[in-house]
Amino acid sequence: MIRDITLGQYFPGNSVIHRLDARTKIIATLLYIVELFVVNNFWGFIIAGAVLAIIIAVSKVPVKFIFRGLTPVLMIIAFTFFLNIFMVDGRILWQWKFLHITYEGLIRAFFMAVRLVLLIIGSSMMTLTTKPIALTDGLEKLLKPFSKIGLPSHELALMMTIALRFIPTLMEETDKIIKAQQARGSDFESGNIIQRAKSLIPILIPLFVSSFRIAQELALAMEARCYHGGSGRTRMNEIHFHKGDAIAAVLMVLFLAVIIASRYIPTIF
Amino acid sequence: MSFIEVKDLVIEFTKIDETGKEVPGKVAVDGVSLDIEKGSFVAVVGMNGSGKSTLAKSLNGLLLPTAGSVTVDGFDTRDEEHIWDVRSRVGMVFQNPDNQIVSSIVEDDVAFGPENLGVAPDEIRRRVDDALKRVGMYDLKDKGAHMLSGGQKQRIAIAGAVAMRPACIVFDEPTAMLDPKGRSSVMSIIRDLNAEGITCVLITHFMGEAEQADRILVMKGGKLIADRTPKELFSDVAFVESAGLELPPAIELRKKAGLPDDLGTAEEIANYISCN
């Protein structure tokens, strides 16, 4: 089962979106998230949603795949939705003791939920269409200017690469430890929450120890392969901006303008 | 001058005692001298704790001599200025295939070494493709490393060393964690690399692997107790057993069948049997 996990949930493909430079996609995603908070009315969300729908259609990533990424956060979305419904003051529609639902609260809750859904889908579009290694490369290049003020951009990118690389290895290791402890009679399934949490200790400690051992061996192997930090290092796949990235940049600016303009469209509510 | 020269090498580990002071610990390698010629295939055998892995790690400066010296192609491993010259000449493949792969994608991992050396991108591309073809993994170059079998991962690790174009590769028990199929594929790659002129140093527990080398070094308690050809070594059953080693399958057969001791290789034994 462990072998089936998708790393960084990349969905292989060769669409226009897949071929964009990772830096373009990172910037676009950040911009999209900011824009979601600029939006303040119904029209803005329709536009933002439509743009996302177009991106999904162009990327050819199956919609089912995208919504699967949404399920783990449904609880959080539901929680913020109800929090907003009950916490906002305004024209009261319904009241029971200290609980009240207001007209403004409903709208705010609805907007917040839509915002979160778009935000999650938007950012998962980046990870779905970009190889993890391209993503870390892109991040390294984007952060490069900050290395002048002491930000270790190369080290951060390498840490992410290694973390991604070792997720499956550590999952296998966890699997092994769980089985070994079960063979010795450990019980992870019964008892209340506190007992169950305690029963995780015999898994976590060996996992910790073995990750230190792995780290030591990996460091030795990296040294043997002449790793000596980011200076003087070259890359096999240098990342370059292409024509597509220029077009994407123009579209991003246009989209930003439209989103800002949407604030001034008279709202129907 | 030999490619690698080890002179009176002593490697002593220090440990931290209860008061936090460094105190002398185990002497892992104790006064070893040897030469490794360019293009040769040398096996190092010995029991656990005999110092063979420590010796291997000192050949490319991962461990530095406490006393004595290791010289690679004229560079002393203690010379910090030239440590990358040493390591780019002597590549290394470790035992655990999982813990030496840095990148998630096969070809990105193979590129890691040349990238560290600062090779130009299109040259890295060429070297990576070439190295992957040499270990027979070119078709899997876009695959995730975690999807591969142990033997395949070990071949990727070898490709990672080959892509750095070293003159010598040290294999530190590369087959210890593999199944028989993975083991034989790794061994045949090592033989091919040696035939192409790469000096190979193979640390191993398997005598069937060691007997394929030109020379076998036997370590015991940190000391080098023998430096012989396989034929010489395996003619002397009493010595091999006193060093705590097993006999290769063919020699085991020779012993049990009561054949003459001077038959040191599988071919000689086969010839002897078919002639009689």
mmCIF file with all atom_site columns, all heavy atoms in Angstrom, chain B residues 86-107:
data_model
loop_
_atom_site.group_PDB
_atom_site.id
_atom_site.type_symbol
_atom_site.label_atom_id
_atom_site.label_alt_id
_atom_site.label_comp_id
_atom_site.label_asym_id
_atom_site.label_entity_id
_atom_site.label_seq_id
_atom_site.pdbx_PDB_ins_code
_atom_site.Cartn_x
_atom_site.Cartn_y
_atom_site.Cartn_z
_atom_site.occupancy
_atom_site.B_iso_or_equiv
_atom_site.pdbx_formal_charge
_atom_site.auth_seq_id
_atom_site.auth_comp_id
_atom_site.auth_asym_id
_atom_site.auth_atom_id
_atom_site.pdbx_PDB_model_num
ATOM 1   N N   . VAL B 1 86  ? 40.296 14.146 -4.392  1.00 0.00 ? 86  VAL B N   1
ATOM 2   C CA  . VAL B 1 86  ? 40.334 12.748 -3.950  1.00 0.00 ? 86  VAL B CA  1
ATOM 3   C C   . VAL B 1 86  ? 38.964 12.104 -4.164  1.00 0.00 ? 86  VAL B C   1
ATOM 4   O O   . VAL B 1 86  ? 38.847 11.044 -4.766  1.00 0.00 ? 86  VAL B O   1
ATOM 5   C CB  . VAL B 1 86  ? 40.746 12.658 -2.463  1.00 0.00 ? 86  VAL B CB  1
ATOM 6   C CG1 . VAL B 1 86  ? 40.538 11.256 -1.930  1.00 0.00 ? 86  VAL B CG1 1
ATOM 7   C CG2 . VAL B 1 86  ? 42.194 13.098 -2.289  1.00 0.00 ? 86  VAL B CG2 1
ATOM 8   N N   . ARG B 1 87  ? 37.912 12.789 -3.686  1.00 0.00 ? 87  ARG B N   1
ATOM 9   C CA  . ARG B 1 87  ? 36.582 12.160 -3.729  1.00 0.00 ? 87  ARG B CA  1
ATOM 10  C C   . ARG B 1 87  ? 36.026 12.052 -5.140  1.00 0.00 ? 87  ARG B C   1
ATOM 11  O O   . ARG B 1 87  ? 35.200 11.196 -5.417  1.00 0.00 ? 87  ARG B O   1
ATOM 12  C CB  . ARG B 1 87  ? 35.610 12.925 -2.839  1.00 0.00 ? 87  ARG B CB  1
ATOM 13  C CG  . ARG B 1 87  ? 35.975 12.719 -1.392  1.00 0.00 ? 87  ARG B CG  1
ATOM 14  C CD  . ARG B 1 87  ? 34.884 13.061 -0.434  1.00 0.00 ? 87  ARG B CD  1
ATOM 15  N NE  . ARG B 1 87  ? 35.426 12.978 0.912   1.00 0.00 ? 87  ARG B NE  1
ATOM 16  C CZ  . ARG B 1 87  ? 35.094 13.786 1.895   1.00 0.00 ? 87  ARG B CZ  1
ATOM 17  N NH1 . ARG B 1 87  ? 34.191 14.732 1.692   1.00 0.00 ? 87  ARG B NH1 1
ATOM 18  N NH2 . ARG B 1 87  ? 35.632 13.642 3.077   1.00 0.00 ? 87  ARG B NH2 1
ATOM 19  N N   . SER B 1 88  ? 36.459 12.945 -6.047  1.00 0.00 ? 88  SER B N   1
ATOM 20  C CA  . SER B 1 88  ? 35.964 12.802 -7.411  1.00 0.00 ? 88  SER B CA  1
ATOM 21  C C   . SER B 1 88  ? 36.709 11.685 -8.140  1.00 0.00 ? 88  SER B C   1
ATOM 22  O O   . SER B 1 88  ? 36.241 11.189 -9.149  1.00 0.00 ? 88  SER B O   1
ATOM 23  C CB  . SER B 1 88  ? 36.094 14.119 -8.173  1.00 0.00 ? 88  SER B CB  1
ATOM 24  O OG  . SER B 1 88  ? 37.442 14.485 -8.281  1.00 0.00 ? 88  SER B OG  1
ATOM 25  N N   . ARG B 1 89  ? 37.866 11.276 -7.617  1.00 0.00 ? 89  ARG B N   1
ATOM 26  C CA  . ARG B 1 89  ? 38.605 10.158 -8.226  1.00 0.00 ? 89  ARG B CA  1
ATOM 27  C C   . ARG B 1 89  ? 38.170 8.816  -7.670  1.00 0.00 ? 89  ARG B C   1
ATOM 28  O O   . ARG B 1 89  ? 38.220 7.809  -8.348  1.00 0.00 ? 89  ARG B O   1
ATOM 29  C CB  . ARG B 1 89  ? 40.114 10.339 -8.013  1.00 0.00 ? 89  ARG B CB  1
ATOM 30  C CG  . ARG B 1 89  ? 40.725 11.317 -8.995  1.00 0.00 ? 89  ARG B CG  1
ATOM 31  C CD  . ARG B 1 89  ? 42.126 11.694 -8.560  1.00 0.00 ? 89  ARG B CD  1
ATOM 32  N NE  . ARG B 1 89  ? 42.776 12.543 -9.540  1.00 0.00 ? 89  ARG B NE  1
ATOM 33  C CZ  . ARG B 1 89  ? 42.476 13.822 -9.737  1.00 0.00 ? 89  ARG B CZ  1
ATOM 34  N NH1 . ARG B 1 89  ? 41.530 14.401 -9.026  1.00 0.00 ? 89  ARG B NH1 1
ATOM 35  N NH2 . ARG B 1 89  ? 43.116 14.531 -10.653 1.00 0.00 ? 89  ARG B NH2 1
ATOM 36  N N   . VAL B 1 90  ? 37.779 8.827  -6.386  1.00 0.00 ? 90  VAL B N   1
ATOM 37  C CA  . VAL B 1 90  ? 37.367 7.579  -5.750  1.00 0.00 ? 90  VAL B CA  1
ATOM 38  C C   . VAL B 1 90  ? 35.897 7.685  -5.356  1.00 0.00 ? 90  VAL B C   1
ATOM 39  O O   . VAL B 1 90  ? 35.546 8.351  -4.393  1.00 0.00 ? 90  VAL B O   1
ATOM 40  C CB  . VAL B 1 90  ? 38.228 7.289  -4.499  1.00 0.00 ? 90  VAL B CB  1
ATOM 41  C CG1 . VAL B 1 90  ? 37.798 5.983  -3.853  1.00 0.00 ? 90  VAL B CG1 1
ATOM 42  C CG2 . VAL B 1 90  ? 39.697 7.241  -4.868  1.00 0.00 ? 90  VAL B CG2 1
ATOM 43  N N   . GLY B 1 91  ? 35.032 7.051  -6.135  1.00 0.00 ? 91  GLY B N   1
ATOM 44  C CA  . GLY B 1 91  ? 33.607 7.050  -5.819  1.00 0.00 ? 91  GLY B CA  1
ATOM 45  C C   . GLY B 1 91  ? 33.317 5.972  -4.801  1.00 0.00 ? 91  GLY B C   1
ATOM 46  O O   . GLY B 1 91  ? 34.161 5.119  -4.529  1.00 0.00 ? 91  GLY B O   1
ATOM 47  N N   . MET B 1 92  ? 32.116 6.038  -4.232  1.00 0.00 ? 92  MET B N   1
ATOM 48  C CA  . MET B 1 92  ? 31.812 5.041  -3.208  1.00 0.00 ? 92  MET B CA  1
ATOM 49  C C   . MET B 1 92  ? 30.353 4.611  -3.286  1.00 0.00 ? 92  MET B C   1
ATOM 50  O O   . MET B 1 92  ? 29.467 5.428  -3.505  1.00 0.00 ? 92  MET B O   1
ATOM 51  C CB  . MET B 1 92  ? 32.105 5.642  -1.839  1.00 0.00 ? 92  MET B CB  1
ATOM 52  C CG  . MET B 1 92  ? 32.254 4.583  -0.803  1.00 0.00 ? 92  MET B CG  1
ATOM 53  S SD  . MET B 1 92  ? 33.315 5.168  0.518   1.00 0.00 ? 92  MET B SD  1
ATOM 54  C CE  . MET B 1 92  ? 33.382 3.688  1.479   1.00 0.00 ? 92  MET B CE  1
ATOM 55  N N   . VAL B 1 93  ? 30.119 3.317  -3.130  1.00 0.00 ? 93  VAL B N   1
ATOM 56  C CA  . VAL B 1 93  ? 28.757 2.788  -3.081  1.00 0.00 ? 93  VAL B CA  1
ATOM 57  C C   . VAL B 1 93  ? 28.605 2.084  -1.745  1.00 0.00 ? 93  VAL B C   1
ATOM 58  O O   . VAL B 1 93  ? 29.462 1.285  -1.370  1.00 0.00 ? 93  VAL B O   1
ATOM 59  C CB  . VAL B 1 93  ? 28.509 1.798  -4.240  1.00 0.00 ? 93  VAL B CB  1
ATOM 60  C CG1 . VAL B 1 93  ? 27.141 1.150  -4.113  1.00 0.00 ? 93  VAL B CG1 1
ATOM 61  C CG2 . VAL B 1 93  ? 28.639 2.511  -5.574  1.00 0.00 ? 93  VAL B CG2 1
ATOM 62  N N   . PHE B 1 94  ? 27.531 2.419  -1.023  1.00 0.00 ? 94  PHE B N   1
ATOM 63  C CA  . PHE B 1 94  ? 27.374 1.897  0.334   1.00 0.00 ? 94  PHE B CA  1
ATOM 64  C C   . PHE B 1 94  ? 26.434 0.708  0.386   1.00 0.00 ? 94  PHE B C   1
ATOM 65  O O   . PHE B 1 94  ? 25.824 0.320  -0.607  1.00 0.00 ? 94  PHE B O   1
ATOM 66  C CB  . PHE B 1 94  ? 26.858 3.007  1.261   1.00 0.00 ? 94  PHE B CB  1
ATOM 67  C CG  . PHE B 1 94  ? 27.813 4.133  1.426   1.00 0.00 ? 94  PHE B CG  1
ATOM 68  C CD1 . PHE B 1 94  ? 27.842 5.192  0.524   1.00 0.00 ? 94  PHE B CD1 1
ATOM 69  C CD2 . PHE B 1 94  ? 28.708 4.144  2.478   1.00 0.00 ? 94  PHE B CD2 1
ATOM 70  C CE1 . PHE B 1 94  ? 28.735 6.233  0.667   1.00 0.00 ? 94  PHE B CE1 1
ATOM 71  C CE2 . PHE B 1 94  ? 29.599 5.183  2.638   1.00 0.00 ? 94  PHE B CE2 1
ATOM 72  C CZ  . PHE B 1 94  ? 29.616 6.229  1.734   1.00 0.00 ? 94  PHE B CZ  1
ATOM 73  N N   . GLN B 1 95  ? 26.312 0.184  1.602   1.00 0.00 ? 95  GLN B N   1
ATOM 74  C CA  . GLN B 1 95  ? 25.546 -1.046 1.783   1.00 0.00 ? 95  GLN B CA  1
ATOM 75  C C   . GLN B 1 95  ? 24.042 -0.847 1.590   1.00 0.00 ? 95  GLN B C   1
ATOM 76  O O   . GLN B 1 95  ? 23.406 -1.585 0.856   1.00 0.00 ? 95  GLN B O   1
ATOM 77  C CB  . GLN B 1 95  ? 25.820 -1.572 3.198   1.00 0.00 ? 95  GLN B CB  1
ATOM 78  C CG  . GLN B 1 95  ? 25.151 -2.868 3.500   1.00 0.00 ? 95  GLN B CG  1
ATOM 79  C CD  . GLN B 1 95  ? 25.397 -3.280 4.947   1.00 0.00 ? 95  GLN B CD  1
ATOM 80  O OE1 . GLN B 1 95  ? 24.735 -2.818 5.867   1.00 0.00 ? 95  GLN B OE1 1
ATOM 81  N NE2 . GLN B 1 95  ? 26.356 -4.141 5.157   1.00 0.00 ? 95  GLN B NE2 1
ATOM 82  N N   . ASN B 1 96  ? 23.487 0.146  2.264   1.00 0.00 ? 96  ASN B N   1
ATOM 83  C CA  . ASN B 1 96  ? 22.039 0.296  2.262   1.00 0.00 ? 96  ASN B CA  1
ATOM 84  C C   . ASN B 1 96  ? 21.587 1.112  1.059   1.00 0.00 ? 96  ASN B C   1
ATOM 85  O O   . ASN B 1 96  ? 21.860 2.303  0.964   1.00 0.00 ? 96  ASN B O   1
ATOM 86  C CB  . ASN B 1 96  ? 21.598 0.985  3.556   1.00 0.00 ? 96  ASN B CB  1
ATOM 87  C CG  . ASN B 1 96  ? 20.095 0.970  3.722   1.00 0.00 ? 96  ASN B CG  1
ATOM 88  O OD1 . ASN B 1 96  ? 19.365 1.006  2.728   1.00 0.00 ? 96  ASN B OD1 1
ATOM 89  N ND2 . ASN B 1 96  ? 19.635 0.906  4.939   1.00 0.00 ? 96  ASN B ND2 1
ATOM 90  N N   . PRO B 1 97  ? 20.887 0.474  0.111   1.00 0.00 ? 97  PRO B N   1
ATOM 91  C CA  . PRO B 1 97  ? 20.549 1.184  -1.116  1.00 0.00 ? 97  PRO B CA  1
ATOM 92  C C   . PRO B 1 97  ? 19.614 2.369  -0.868  1.00 0.00 ? 97  PRO B C   1
ATOM 93  O O   . PRO B 1 97  ? 19.638 3.347  -1.606  1.00 0.00 ? 97  PRO B O   1
ATOM 94  C CB  . PRO B 1 97  ? 19.880 0.118  -1.985  1.00 0.00 ? 97  PRO B CB  1
ATOM 95  C CG  . PRO B 1 97  ? 19.519 -0.993 -1.071  1.00 0.00 ? 97  PRO B CG  1
ATOM 96  C CD  . PRO B 1 97  ? 20.420 -0.905 0.121   1.00 0.00 ? 97  PRO B CD  1
ATOM 97  N N   . ASP B 1 98  ? 18.804 2.274  0.206   1.00 0.00 ? 98  ASP B N   1
ATOM 98  C CA  . ASP B 1 98  ? 17.834 3.339  0.461   1.00 0.00 ? 98  ASP B CA  1
ATOM 99  C C   . ASP B 1 98  ? 18.481 4.626  0.939   1.00 0.00 ? 98  ASP B C   1
ATOM 100 O O   . ASP B 1 98  ? 18.057 5.718  0.583   1.00 0.00 ? 98  ASP B O   1
ATOM 101 C CB  . ASP B 1 98  ? 16.844 2.883  1.531   1.00 0.00 ? 98  ASP B CB  1
ATOM 102 C CG  . ASP B 1 98  ? 15.523 2.513  0.916   1.00 0.00 ? 98  ASP B CG  1
ATOM 103 O OD1 . ASP B 1 98  ? 15.080 3.278  0.040   1.00 0.00 ? 98  ASP B OD1 1
ATOM 104 O OD2 . ASP B 1 98  ? 14.963 1.483  1.288   1.00 0.00 ? 98  ASP B OD2 1
ATOM 105 N N   . ASN B 1 99  ? 19.517 4.482  1.779   1.00 0.00 ? 99  ASN B N   1
ATOM 106 C CA  . ASN B 1 99  ? 20.020 5.657  2.474   1.00 0.00 ? 99  ASN B CA  1
ATOM 107 C C   . ASN B 1 99  ? 21.128 6.382  1.737   1.00 0.00 ? 99  ASN B C   1
ATOM 108 O O   . ASN B 1 99  ? 21.863 7.157  2.317   1.00 0.00 ? 99  ASN B O   1
ATOM 109 C CB  . ASN B 1 99  ? 20.514 5.255  3.867   1.00 0.00 ? 99  ASN B CB  1
ATOM 110 C CG  . ASN B 1 99  ? 19.405 4.626  4.671   1.00 0.00 ? 99  ASN B CG  1
ATOM 111 O OD1 . ASN B 1 99  ? 18.250 4.661  4.256   1.00 0.00 ? 99  ASN B OD1 1
ATOM 112 N ND2 . ASN B 1 99  ? 19.738 4.059  5.790   1.00 0.00 ? 99  ASN B ND2 1
ATOM 113 N N   . GLN B 1 100 ? 21.315 6.105  0.435   1.00 0.00 ? 100 GLN B N   1
ATOM 114 C CA  . GLN B 1 100 ? 22.324 6.861  -0.301  1.00 0.00 ? 100 GLN B CA  1
ATOM 115 C C   . GLN B 1 100 ? 21.725 7.517  -1.536  1.00 0.00 ? 100 GLN B C   1
ATOM 116 O O   . GLN B 1 100 ? 22.450 8.087  -2.343  1.00 0.00 ? 100 GLN B O   1
ATOM 117 C CB  . GLN B 1 100 ? 23.501 5.964  -0.672  1.00 0.00 ? 100 GLN B CB  1
ATOM 118 C CG  . GLN B 1 100 ? 23.101 4.695  -1.364  1.00 0.00 ? 100 GLN B CG  1
ATOM 119 C CD  . GLN B 1 100 ? 24.302 3.794  -1.617  1.00 0.00 ? 100 GLN B CD  1
ATOM 120 O OE1 . GLN B 1 100 ? 25.371 4.258  -1.934  1.00 0.00 ? 100 GLN B OE1 1
ATOM 121 N NE2 . GLN B 1 100 ? 24.101 2.501  -1.474  1.00 0.00 ? 100 GLN B NE2 1
ATOM 122 N N   . ILE B 1 101 ? 20.399 7.427  -1.670  1.00 0.00 ? 101 ILE B N   1
ATOM 123 C CA  . ILE B 1 101 ? 19.735 8.070  -2.808  1.00 0.00 ? 101 ILE B CA  1
ATOM 124 C C   . ILE B 1 101 ? 19.143 9.382  -2.321  1.00 0.00 ? 101 ILE B C   1
ATOM 125 O O   . ILE B 1 101 ? 18.378 9.408  -1.357  1.00 0.00 ? 101 ILE B O   1
ATOM 126 C CB  . ILE B 1 101 ? 18.686 7.132  -3.414  1.00 0.00 ? 101 ILE B CB  1
ATOM 127 C CG1 . ILE B 1 101 ? 19.413 5.948  -4.048  1.00 0.00 ? 101 ILE B CG1 1
ATOM 128 C CG2 . ILE B 1 101 ? 17.829 7.852  -4.428  1.00 0.00 ? 101 ILE B CG2 1
ATOM 129 C CD1 . ILE B 1 101 ? 18.527 4.902  -4.637  1.00 0.00 ? 101 ILE B CD1 1
ATOM 130 N N   . VAL B 1 102 ? 19.534 10.489 -2.973  1.00 0.00 ? 102 VAL B N   1
ATOM 131 C CA  . VAL B 1 102 ? 19.212 11.813 -2.462  1.00 0.00 ? 102 VAL B CA  1
ATOM 132 C C   . VAL B 1 102 ? 17.919 12.351 -3.055  1.00 0.00 ? 102 VAL B C   1
ATOM 133 O O   . VAL B 1 102 ? 17.143 13.013 -2.376  1.00 0.00 ? 102 VAL B O   1
ATOM 134 C CB  . VAL B 1 102 ? 20.368 12.798 -2.764  1.00 0.00 ? 102 VAL B CB  1
ATOM 135 C CG1 . VAL B 1 102 ? 20.081 14.165 -2.190  1.00 0.00 ? 102 VAL B CG1 1
ATOM 136 C CG2 . VAL B 1 102 ? 21.672 12.256 -2.228  1.00 0.00 ? 102 VAL B CG2 1
ATOM 137 N N   . SER B 1 103 ? 17.691 12.063 -4.344  1.00 0.00 ? 103 SER B N   1
ATOM 138 C CA  . SER B 1 103 ? 16.537 12.650 -5.024  1.00 0.00 ? 103 SER B CA  1
ATOM 139 C C   . SER B 1 103 ? 15.450 11.612 -5.270  1.00 0.00 ? 103 SER B C   1
ATOM 140 O O   . SER B 1 103 ? 15.739 10.427 -5.387  1.00 0.00 ? 103 SER B O   1
ATOM 141 C CB  . SER B 1 103 ? 16.974 13.221 -6.374  1.00 0.00 ? 103 SER B CB  1
ATOM 142 O OG  . SER B 1 103 ? 17.246 14.571 -6.223  1.00 0.00 ? 103 SER B OG  1
ATOM 143 N N   . SER B 1 104 ? 14.214 12.090 -5.378  1.00 0.00 ? 104 SER B N   1
ATOM 144 C CA  . SER B 1 104 ? 13.092 11.169 -5.562  1.00 0.00 ? 104 SER B CA  1
ATOM 145 C C   . SER B 1 104 ? 13.101 10.524 -6.937  1.00 0.00 ? 104 SER B C   1
ATOM 146 O O   . SER B 1 104 ? 12.626 9.418  -7.112  1.00 0.00 ? 104 SER B O   1
ATOM 147 C CB  . SER B 1 104 ? 11.777 11.909 -5.399  1.00 0.00 ? 104 SER B CB  1
ATOM 148 O OG  . SER B 1 104 ? 11.786 12.663 -4.234  1.00 0.00 ? 104 SER B OG  1
ATOM 149 N N   . ILE B 1 105 ? 13.607 11.249 -7.938  1.00 0.00 ? 105 ILE B N   1
ATOM 150 C CA  . ILE B 1 105 ? 13.548 10.757 -9.309  1.00 0.00 ? 105 ILE B CA  1
ATOM 151 C C   . ILE B 1 105 ? 14.914 10.179 -9.690  1.00 0.00 ? 105 ILE B C   1
ATOM 152 O O   . ILE B 1 105 ? 15.948 10.791 -9.409  1.00 0.00 ? 105 ILE B O   1
ATOM 153 C CB  . ILE B 1 105 ? 13.157 11.892 -10.287 1.00 0.00 ? 105 ILE B CB  1
ATOM 154 C CG1 . ILE B 1 105 ? 11.863 12.578 -9.845  1.00 0.00 ? 105 ILE B CG1 1
ATOM 155 C CG2 . ILE B 1 105 ? 13.052 11.378 -11.713 1.00 0.00 ? 105 ILE B CG2 1
ATOM 156 C CD1 . ILE B 1 105 ? 10.619 11.744 -9.973  1.00 0.00 ? 105 ILE B CD1 1
ATOM 157 N N   . VAL B 1 106 ? 14.893 9.019  -10.347 1.00 0.00 ? 106 VAL B N   1
ATOM 158 C CA  . VAL B 1 106 ? 16.114 8.286  -10.659 1.00 0.00 ? 106 VAL B CA  1
ATOM 159 C C   . VAL B 1 106 ? 17.187 9.167  -11.306 1.00 0.00 ? 106 VAL B C   1
ATOM 160 O O   . VAL B 1 106 ? 18.314 9.261  -10.825 1.00 0.00 ? 106 VAL B O   1
ATOM 161 C CB  . VAL B 1 106 ? 15.788 7.073  -11.558 1.00 0.00 ? 106 VAL B CB  1
ATOM 162 C CG1 . VAL B 1 106 ? 17.042 6.487  -12.176 1.00 0.00 ? 106 VAL B CG1 1
ATOM 163 C CG2 . VAL B 1 106 ? 15.063 6.007  -10.751 1.00 0.00 ? 106 VAL B CG2 1
ATOM 164 N N   . GLU B 1 107 ? 16.828 9.837  -12.416 1.00 0.00 ? 107 GLU B N   1
ATOM 165 C CA  . GLU B 1 107 ? 17.878 10.572 -13.139 1.00 0.00 ? 107 GLU B CA  1
ATOM 166 C C   . GLU B 1 107 ? 18.378 11.788 -12.352 1.00 0.00 ? 107 GLU B C   1
ATOM 167 O O   . GLU B 1 107 ? 19.540 12.139 -12.454 1.00 0.00 ? 107 GLU B O   1
ATOM 168 C CB  . GLU B 1 107 ? 17.411 10.978 -14.541 1.00 0.00 ? 107 GLU B CB  1
ATOM 169 C CG  . GLU B 1 107 ? 16.226 11.898 -14.565 1.00 0.00 ? 107 GLU B CG  1
ATOM 170 C CD  . GLU B 1 107 ? 15.972 12.423 -15.961 1.00 0.00 ? 107 GLU B CD  1
ATOM 171 O OE1 . GLU B 1 107 ? 16.569 11.912 -16.919 1.00 0.00 ? 107 GLU B OE1 1
ATOM 172 O OE2 . GLU B 1 107 ? 15.170 13.368 -16.081 1.00 0.00 ? 107 GLU B OE2 1
#
